[in-house]
Amino acid sequence: MNSSKLLVCNITGRLLKLAIFWVAASSFANEPVIIPEAPGVAAEAWLLMDASTSKELVEHNSQLRLPPASLTKIMTSYVAASELENGGIKLDDEVLVSVESWKKEGSRMFIQEGTRVSVEDLIRGIVIQSGNDASVALAEHIAGSEELFVDVMNQQADLLGMTDTHFMNATGLPDENHYTSARDLAKLTVALINNFPEHYKIYSEKSFTYNNISQRNRNSLLFRDNTVDGVKTGYTSASGYSLVTSSRREDMRLITVVLGATSESSRANESQKLLTYGFRYFETVPLYRKNESLKKVRVWGGTDNSIDLGLAEDIVITLPRGARNSLEASTIIRNNEIHAPLRVGQELGTLTVRMGDSGEINEYPVVALDKINSAGFFSRLWESIQLFFLKLFGGDPLALEG
């Protein structure tokens, strides 16, 4: 493949310069990166994920289908947040408490049959108090019945790619056909944080009082680690003790999922162990900003004769700490010549980022950052003549003049 067909820019040094707006200069030496084995976790399944990149750092049985218990309520609240955003419900809606919701067994918010409770209070009753009664009441308000609400939950799970999940109720009460996985719960948590950040703030609240009954958030890590701002606990005799945790330190957010631990203290300790490992040995590194020019190339037959190429999205990757200096990047332009018209976002090439000798490769589409219309007939004719002679003498149709 000749130079006009393949435009490769080895920009290992430039990669760090472009990232200087985002990340402080690294003092790591070019030495092998040593990462210890993941800590042993006393649970049936577990996972540690970088929320910014959805990269799984360590896992065990992360696709094993297990009963989620009250972790189900993460999806219950996700559906509620979606309905609030779409205008289907409002925070000040007054929900009439049914007999079915009032008598629901398990953890409770202690709402009373025949009374009215605001959607806002029900959401806190679900998230903070883990109320099964609140979950059913809100499900009935949104969908007319818990059964119809569950159908919405499963549709949302499909949209989020939760392929190992199926819900049978809005509470997490045991059912042999009610299951999820650590990986799916991590996906759901990332979506919750990214799509509904204001709603997610409720998960950090440490207590809620309703009907003169005050209950503490069951997530004990909220009380002993100020970087933890969620997410949810779960327990039944069938599921064991489970916990989904989210923690943010500086520019890095980690998600842990621990399923089937043996006690309340164990699920918290094992989650903390994973967080410590993740923050100690990995980092989230922003590499490029969206709409930042990576390359300017020649355009033929257009109202402009050049165009900036870049990325449609910010590029952020997760690396072992100390591995930044091993990054190598190259930009490949798909065709050996580019012709107008061009639209903003039109894919024209690929940015490839490699991490040293690890073999890990990430690829991102390189797109046009501007719109260029076709030039008039005579301008296009003149440029076609120029292009003919340029190629005849071995010139590069992508190179800018002068």
Side-chain angles (χ1 to χ4, degrees):
M1 189 176 292
N2 58 39
S3 61
S4 64
K5 183 70 176 177
L6 179 64
L7 179 59
V8 180
C9 305
N10 192 340
I11 53 173
T12 305
R14 182 172 176 270
L15 188 65
L16 298 178
K17 292 180 182 178
L18 289 171
I20 197 170
F21 298 104
W22 297 80
V23 189
S26 171
S27 61
F28 293 121
N30 289 318
E31 297 177 355
V33 177
I34 298 175
I35 301 291
E37 290 186 8
V41 175
E44 194 166 357
W46 46 270
L47 177 144
L48 172 66
M49 176 183 284
D50 184 330
S52 297
T53 63
S54 293
K55 182 177 177 62
E56 296 177 14
L57 304 180
V58 291
E59 63 85 28
H60 174 71
N61 286 340
S62 64
Q63 290 183 275
L64 182 64
R65 295 178 175 183
L66 294 169
S70 284
L71 300 181
T72 300
K73 297 184 179 86
I74 302 174
M75 178 59 86
T76 303
S77 90
Y78 185 93
V79 172
S82 178
E83 288 293 320
L84 285 166
E85 184 171 270
N86 295 333
I89 60 173
K90 297 179 181 179
L91 287 174
D92 58 2
D93 283 353
E94 292 293 322
V95 178
L96 181 63
V97 178
S98 68
V99 174
E100 288 75 13
S101 59
W102 167 70
K103 69 180 182 181
K104 189 60 63 175
E105 61 184 311
S107 53
R108 298 186 176 201
M109 178 185 174
F110 297 104
I111 53 179
Q112 298 295 316
E113 174 199 357
T115 63
R116 293 187 177 273
V117 186
S118 71
V119 165
E120 185 171 13
D121 282 347
L122 287 175
I123 289 173
R124 282 183 165 79
I126 293 167
V127 171
I128 302 169
Q129 300 177 330
S130 199
N132 291 341
D133 49 359
S135 299
V136 175
L138 189 57
E140 291 173 340
H141 179 67
I142 290 173
S145 71
E146 184 180 9
E147 181 181 8
L148 292 175
F149 183 82
V150 168
D151 184 57
V152 177
M153 294 171 70
N154 285 319
Q155 289 185 54
Q156 284 285 6
D158 288 342
L159 290 173
L160 294 174
M162 298 171 65
T163 56
D164 294 303
T165 295
H166 186 261
F167 297 111
M168 292 297 291
N169 56 63
T171 61
L173 288 171
D175 187 297
E176 63 180 5
N177 292 315
H178 189 95
Y179 54 81
T180 190
S181 68
R183 178 172 294 169
D184 282 358
L185 286 167
K187 288 179 182 179
L188 173 58
T189 301
V190 169
L192 176 71
I193 293 169
N194 290 338
N195 296 340
F196 307 113
E198 288 302 312
H199 176 83
Y200 176 68
K201 289 178 181 178
I202 298 172
Y203 283 83
S204 67
E205 296 180 16
K206 295 179 180 179
S207 66
F208 178 59
T209 301
Y210 180 78
N211 199 21
N212 295 320
I213 301 172
S214 182
Q215 298 186 62
R216 281 166 49 108
N217 195 312
R218 290 167 169 77
N219 183 359
S220 63
L221 290 185
L222 289 174
F223 300 89
R224 72 188 204 195
D225 184 342
N226 60 14
T227 70
V228 171
D229 55 14
V231 181
K232 191 75 186 69
T233 62
Y235 169 76
T236 64
S237 58
S239 69
Y241 294 85
S242 300
L243 176 61
V244 177
T245 306
S246 178
S247 171
R248 184 180 181 90
R249 300 181 188 177
E250 297 179 349
D251 293 327
M252 188 176 197
R253 178 181 287 280
L254 293 179
I255 306 293
T256 66
V257 182
V258 172
L259 303 180
T262 57
S263 67
E264 289 186 21
S265 60
S266 176
R267 70 186 175 191
N269 292 338
E270 301 308 288
S271 298
Q272 189 78 71
K273 189 187 300 183
L274 287 170
L275 289 174
T276 300
Y277 176 79
F279 285 118
R280 171 64 182 85
Y281 292 108
F282 296 89
E283 61 180 331
T284 306
V285 181
L287 296 181
Y288 298 99
R289 298 173 181 173
K290 67 179 180 180
N291 300 325
E292 176 184 19
S293 178
L294 297 179
K295 184 71 177 177
K296 185 185 286 287
V297 296
R298 180 74 160 89
V299 174
W300 298 91
T303 51
D304 290 302
N305 64 4
S306 66
I307 191 167
D308 286 303
L309 305 183
L311 302 160
E313 301 293 337
D314 293 340
I315 301 302
V316 182
I317 63 175
T318 308
L319 294 174
R321 289 193 179 274
R324 269 188 244 174
N325 287 345
S326 69
L327 292 177
E328 296 178 357
S330 59
T331 303
I332 300 173
I333 308 304
R334 182 176 299 157
N335 299 314
N336 63 351
E337 55 191 70
I338 296 176
H339 293 266
L342 297 169
R343 67 181 185 280
V344 175
Q346 183 173 336
E347 189 172 331
L348 297 172
T350 303
L351 172 71
T352 301
V353 179
R354 295 179 177 83
M355 193 176 72
D357 298 327
S358 70
E360 183 172 337
I361 297 175
N362 295 290
E363 294 186 339
Y364 312 94
V366 170
V367 302
L369 297 183
D370 304 297
K371 176 183 178 181
I372 297 183
N373 296 319
S374 294
F377 173 77
F378 290 107
S379 293
R380 297 200 310 272
L381 178 62
W382 171 242
E383 287 200 359
S384 67
I385 295 170
Q386 289 180 295
L387 182 59
F388 171 79
F389 283 103
L390 179 69
K391 292 192 289 186
L392 183 65
F393 292 103
D396 183 359
L398 292 172
L400 297 173
E401 297 177 357

